[in-house]
Amino acid sequence: MSQSVARSRINSRTNHEAIVRNSSLLLEAIETAYDRIEAERDRNCWIHLRPREEALEQCRKLVARARTGENLPLLGIPFGVKDNIDVEGMPTTAACPAFSYTPWHSAHSVERLTAAGAICLGKTNLDQFATGLSGARSPHGPCASVADVRYVAGGSSSGSAVAVAAGHVAFALGTDTGGSGRIPAGFNDIVGIKPTIGLVSSRGLVPNCPTIDCVSVFCNSVSDGEAILDIIEGFDFEDPYSRQPRTFFPADAAAPSFRFGRLATSDLECFGMPECGELYEHACERFARIGGTAIEVDFAPFRQAGELMFSGPWVAERHSAIASLVDVESNSLLDVTRTVLASAAGYSAIDTFGAIHRLHRLRRSAEAIFAGIDALVVPTAPRPFTLEEMQRDPITLNNRLGYYSYFANLLDLCGVAIPNATLPNGMPMGVTLLAPAWHDRALIGLARRFEASAGGAAFELKFGG
């Protein structure tokens, strides 16, 4: 299947009857996906892979249904699912073999995708129990960036991002608690959409921090991501964390001109790699060229909220969620996972309520800032780190990766991570658009304009080419 056909398929722009008549193209795409996966096992991006013939047979059955007139907008599109999200009949392990179980039902988001005709090829690698931002905390091996195998892919949704960037699948589901749906997108030159918390049901998701977990989408273009979001979003009464939007802001809410928040030079933290800051400045210039007015904002409330994620009592919520699933003191967890969770013991209920009260004050400060801008633009990550560097200092460097991402869910923001530019060493560095809850479509509209300003060549759907 050619790149152009694959792109139009995911956005439902192709003549449905023509695709059904040429079902051999769909089967060829599945075959190509498996050939690539088998040739690149060393990427460590898959934990469980569905048998090839099983996927091909499902494709044939879907085509037969489509021939009877059933509308299947994602007919035959292959995708991957992070292995902390349930897929019926496939083991869920959260990268902890001792935890493994096989669910009878798929997660709500997966059910919607398969109902639309998409085909799940398997479960992707992750930082164990989604605890980390590096992609190097898995018993199944680390995931490296597709751009340079010396560097981390970013996590915890590393496998999903790598599977998309390597052309194994057209899109993949990840999760995002502190940046896991954005950091891997930035280091693999793809798009990561982190919806408003509760916009997509978290039913069927292995809990991490349940109050701020959300399902995310990795894809190769903003339009692809919007098409997937259209299918998986929606209120789910059976999910206690699902929410009904008070107001939903459309994609053209900030068009044709808009105001974007940008960091002051003094707030731009690159941890010793100033060239990353230069790429951020170029991104701000691009936003200005497409109609944006830059407004320098105070980053302090965002930075302080981010510090609460892993230097505050929210790690206790993570400990509580994981301890309900496995013995966190046993040898079933990686040492680094156990070390992170052990820090929860240092926080009392008094500490927790104090942090909640502080977070409410920080949210009010953020609201005041967003009252004057349509979106905040930040680097997706401060800088890339090599796998070797991450192994030497896994906790410090992991937390540095979250400098621009930790605060988003705590402040109830939605986000879209988009490719920006490439460092001299060849590593891609993205930027992320952030806005208050329910501004998802407005952000997508701005992200699409930014993407188009690059000329589109870097954003061709990589699957099936």
Side-chain angles (χ1 to χ4, degrees):
M1 182 181 291
S2 69
Q3 290 180 353
S4 59
V5 172
R7 175 185 287 279
S8 57
R9 284 284 299 112
I10 203 169
N11 282 290
S12 305
R13 291 195 294 265
T14 335
N15 183 293
H16 191 261
E17 293 180 0
I19 286 293
V20 172
R21 286 196 303 270
N22 294 284
S23 58
S24 60
L25 291 175
L26 302 179
L27 296 171
E28 180 185 338
I30 299 294
E31 294 277 17
T32 299
Y34 276 91
D35 288 345
R36 289 181 175 178
I37 292 169
E38 290 172 4
E40 297 182 334
R41 289 284 188 174
D42 57 346
R43 291 196 186 278
N44 298 329
C45 56
W46 295 93
I47 291 178
H48 173 82
L49 197 63
R50 186 180 198 171
R52 181 190 296 239
E53 187 51 47
E54 187 179 302
L56 291 169
E57 181 59 24
Q58 183 181 3
C59 187
R60 295 185 190 100
K61 290 179 178 178
L62 288 167
V63 169
R65 287 165 52 189
R67 284 175 175 158
T68 67
E70 185 174 352
N71 180 34
L72 298 171
L74 297 181
L75 176 62
I77 298 286
F79 72 104
V81 175
K82 183 177 180 179
D83 194 27
N84 63 340
I85 302 173
D86 286 346
V87 177
E88 180 184 355
M90 296 186 191
T92 298
T93 73
C96 178
F99 170 69
S100 181
Y101 67 92
T102 301
W104 290 100
H105 301 285
S106 293
H108 189 260
S109 53
V110 176
E111 287 179 342
R112 290 197 167 197
L113 292 168
T114 55
I119 300 175
C120 177
L121 299 193
K123 309 296 289 297
T124 58
N125 202 0
L126 67 152
D127 282 334
Q128 190 174 68
F129 281 107
T131 300
L133 287 175
S134 69
R137 297 178 174 182
S138 170
H140 303 282
C143 285
S145 169
V146 169
D148 188 331
V149 296
R150 296 174 299 173
Y151 287 86
V152 299
S156 61
S157 308
S158 54
S160 289
V162 169
V164 172
H168 295 177
V169 288
F171 70 93
L173 296 184
T175 64
D176 191 305
T177 303
S180 300
R182 292 161 278 157
I183 303 294
F187 288 155
N188 287 280
D189 208 32
I190 59 174
V191 173
I193 294 183
K194 188 214 79 65
T196 295
I197 297 170
L199 175 61
V200 177
S201 173
S202 60
R203 179 158 54 94
L205 168 64
V206 176
N208 183 0
C209 289
T211 59
I212 55 173
D213 288 340
C214 63
V215 174
S216 65
V217 177
F218 294 103
C219 48
N220 284 290
S221 78
V222 177
S223 293
D224 287 349
E226 183 176 27
I228 300 304
L229 187 61
D230 286 342
I231 290 171
I232 64 175
E233 69 181 0
F235 180 72
D236 176 15
F237 183 80
E238 295 183 46
D239 171 20
Y241 302 101
S242 185
R243 297 194 290 172
Q244 293 273 25
R246 295 191 301 271
T247 303
F248 208 81
F249 298 88
D252 61 353
S257 60
F258 60 94
R259 301 159 300 169
F260 68 94
R262 58 146 298 147
L263 304 179
T265 302
S266 58
D267 285 326
L268 195 54
E269 177 61 80
C270 301
F271 296 107
M273 193 176 280
E275 55 267 42
C276 296
E278 295 173 10
L279 297 188
Y280 172 73
E281 296 292 346
H282 292 322
C284 290
E285 292 169 5
R286 277 177 63 186
F287 276 110
R289 288 197 297 271
I290 62 174
T293 299
I295 308 293
E296 197 169 281
V297 301
D298 179 11
F299 188 62
F302 303 98
R303 184 184 65 251
Q304 291 167 16
E307 290 169 354
L308 294 174
M309 175 63 77
F310 285 106
S311 298
W314 269 268
V315 73
E317 182 183 13
R318 186 178 298 258
H319 184 284
S320 172
I322 296 175
S324 69
L325 304 173
V326 297
D327 180 2
V328 297
E329 302 300 327
S330 72
N331 292 328
S332 62
L333 296 182
L334 298 176
D335 288 343
V336 66
T337 309
R338 193 182 303 106
T339 297
V340 170
L341 296 177
S343 65
Y347 298 99
S348 67
I350 294 174
D351 295 328
T352 300
F353 280 104
I356 290 172
H357 300 158
R358 184 181 180 205
L359 179 59
H360 277 268
R361 293 191 294 271
L362 292 171
R363 284 184 175 180
R364 190 52 51 86
S365 297
E367 288 171 8
I369 290 171
F370 278 110
I373 58 175
D374 296 294
L376 173 64
V377 178
V378 297
T380 299
R383 56 159 293 177
F385 293 105
T386 66
L387 285 164
E388 183 181 355
E389 289 171 330
M390 189 62 63
Q391 289 163 358
R392 287 201 304 263
D393 195 357
I395 293 179
T396 300
L397 298 191
N398 182 88
N399 287 345
R400 287 181 178 178
L401 288 177
Y403 187 81
Y404 297 114
S405 68
Y406 278 159
F407 58 82
N409 283 349
L410 287 174
L411 294 178
D412 201 13
L413 308 179
C414 55
V416 181
I418 44 180
N420 175 32
T422 304
L423 289 166
N425 64 11
M427 276 294 292
M429 289 291 291
V431 291
T432 294
L433 285 162
L434 296 161
W438 314 118
H439 286 74
D440 304 74
R441 289 311 190 285
L443 280 190
I444 285 170
L446 288 180
R448 186 184 293 112
R449 290 166 63 182
F450 183 83
E451 178 183 83
S453 73
F459 304 98
E460 283 300 310
L461 191 62
K462 298 170 186 174
F463 176 78

